[in-house]
Amino acid sequence: MADSVRESGSDFMPRFDANGLLTAIAVDSATKDILMVAFMDEEALVRTRKTGLAHFHSRSRGELWLKGETSGHFLKVEDILVDCDQDALLLVVEPQGPACHTGARSCFYRKLGEEGLIPVGN
Amino acid sequence: MADSVRESGSDFMPRFDANGLLTAIAVDSATKDILMVAFMDEEALVRTRKTGLAHFHSRSRGELWLKGETSGHFLKVEDILVDCDQDALLLVVEPQGPACHTGARSCFYRKLGEEGLIPVGN
């Protein structure tokens, strides 16, 4: 019952996993390119909705992380889409610079070939 | 050192999490719409590469899952992109039907509004 309400209803009932996290994907509103994937806990979600800037939860540092806090490359959130079982979010964003910490526009700058990874120019 | 090799190198070194999983996002090669998000363990990744059809690991059932096995709505994989730290994959696919088990084309058929979730027609 809870599952069908979650899937078909209009109530936002985010389903955090055992670690209190949702998967969050940032997609460029202009190009539809996927920029990065990270995780959000409840605090990151609340801060994101309140400020309009993407916040995540760093699993390695165990803390709230405002994307762009040090680089200035914030992700301005235009829309948040929710998937069927409400354990993943799609952030439709206007990036204020390269989204990847490597300086690449997107974190997905390589594809898998037969012999290894091949640059794709993202 | 391992991190920089992972980020800049051409070696495929998938970084499975503590549960042995990677995040896998399926995106429609024709429309660039994000269709679904799931998880892959090593077995699912090997099967996907071998067959060209998206396989995932079901966290709830704890087993390998060939997407479309019961519905016929397979995801034909054209490319696999890898992110900077190699813990997320982007499957560029040609869907053979609705990707969502609800019958929606994409699992992301609602967006978050002030008062709850709003259908977006995906």
Side-chain angles (χ1 to χ4, degrees):
Chain A
M1 179 56 127
D3 271 1
S4 92
V5 170
R6 218 179 217 122
E7 290 179 358
S8 59
S10 60
D11 286 351
F12 183 44
M13 304 162 66
R15 187 156 72 176
F16 297 96
D17 71 8
N19 297 312
L21 302 175
L22 301 172
T23 302
I25 304 163
V27 59
D28 189 317
S29 62
T31 64
K32 296 181 83 171
D33 286 332
I34 295 176
L35 300 175
M36 59 177 290
V37 181
F39 294 90
M40 278 189 172
D41 62 0
E42 190 160 13
E43 185 186 14
L45 177 59
V46 168
R47 297 291 306 158
T48 297
R49 296 185 74 183
K50 197 164 187 167
T51 63
L53 296 175
H55 289 67
F56 301 104
H57 175 82
S58 166
R59 290 189 299 178
S60 53
R61 298 193 304 272
E63 62 182 24
L64 184 71
W65 159 40
L66 164 58
K67 170 69 188 165
E69 188 165 23
T70 53
S71 65
H73 303 155
F74 301 100
L75 299 175
K76 292 179 70 174
V77 178
E78 299 177 357
D79 268 318
I80 299 179
L81 277 74
V82 183
D83 79 340
C84 50
D85 58 357
Q86 302 203 34
D87 64 357
L89 302 177
L90 188 55
L91 310 178
V92 182
V93 304
E94 183 192 315
Q96 307 296 293
C100 188
H101 73 285
T102 61
R105 200 170 54 78
S106 158
C107 294
F108 293 91
Y109 49 81
R110 294 169 296 183
K111 74 174 185 177
L112 192 48
E114 285 298 320
E115 307 292 327
L117 302 179
I118 303 164
V120 293
N122 274 335
Chain B
M1 182 50 128
D3 271 0
S4 91
V5 169
R6 222 182 211 116
E7 290 180 357
S8 59
S10 59
D11 286 349
F12 184 44
M13 305 161 66
R15 188 156 71 176
F16 297 95
D17 71 8
N19 298 312
L21 301 175
L22 301 171
T23 302
I25 303 163
V27 60
D28 188 317
S29 62
T31 64
K32 294 180 85 170
D33 286 332
I34 295 176
L35 300 176
M36 58 175 291
V37 181
F39 295 89
M40 274 188 175
D41 61 0
E42 189 160 15
E43 185 186 14
L45 177 58
V46 168
R47 296 293 305 161
T48 298
R49 296 185 74 183
K50 198 163 188 169
T51 63
L53 296 175
H55 289 67
F56 301 105
H57 177 82
S58 166
R59 291 190 297 178
S60 53
R61 298 192 304 272
E63 62 182 23
L64 184 72
W65 159 40
L66 164 59
K67 169 71 187 165
E69 188 166 22
T70 52
S71 66
H73 303 155
F74 301 101
L75 299 175
K76 290 179 69 173
V77 178
E78 298 178 354
D79 267 319
I80 299 177
L81 277 73
V82 183
D83 79 341
C84 49
D85 58 358
Q86 303 202 33
D87 64 358
L89 302 178
L90 188 55
L91 310 179
V92 182
V93 304
E94 182 193 317
Q96 306 297 293
C100 187
H101 74 285
T102 63
R105 201 170 54 78
S106 157
C107 294
F108 293 91
Y109 49 82
R110 293 169 298 182
K111 75 173 185 178
L112 192 49
E114 285 298 320
E115 306 293 327
L117 301 179
I118 302 163
V120 294
N122 274 336

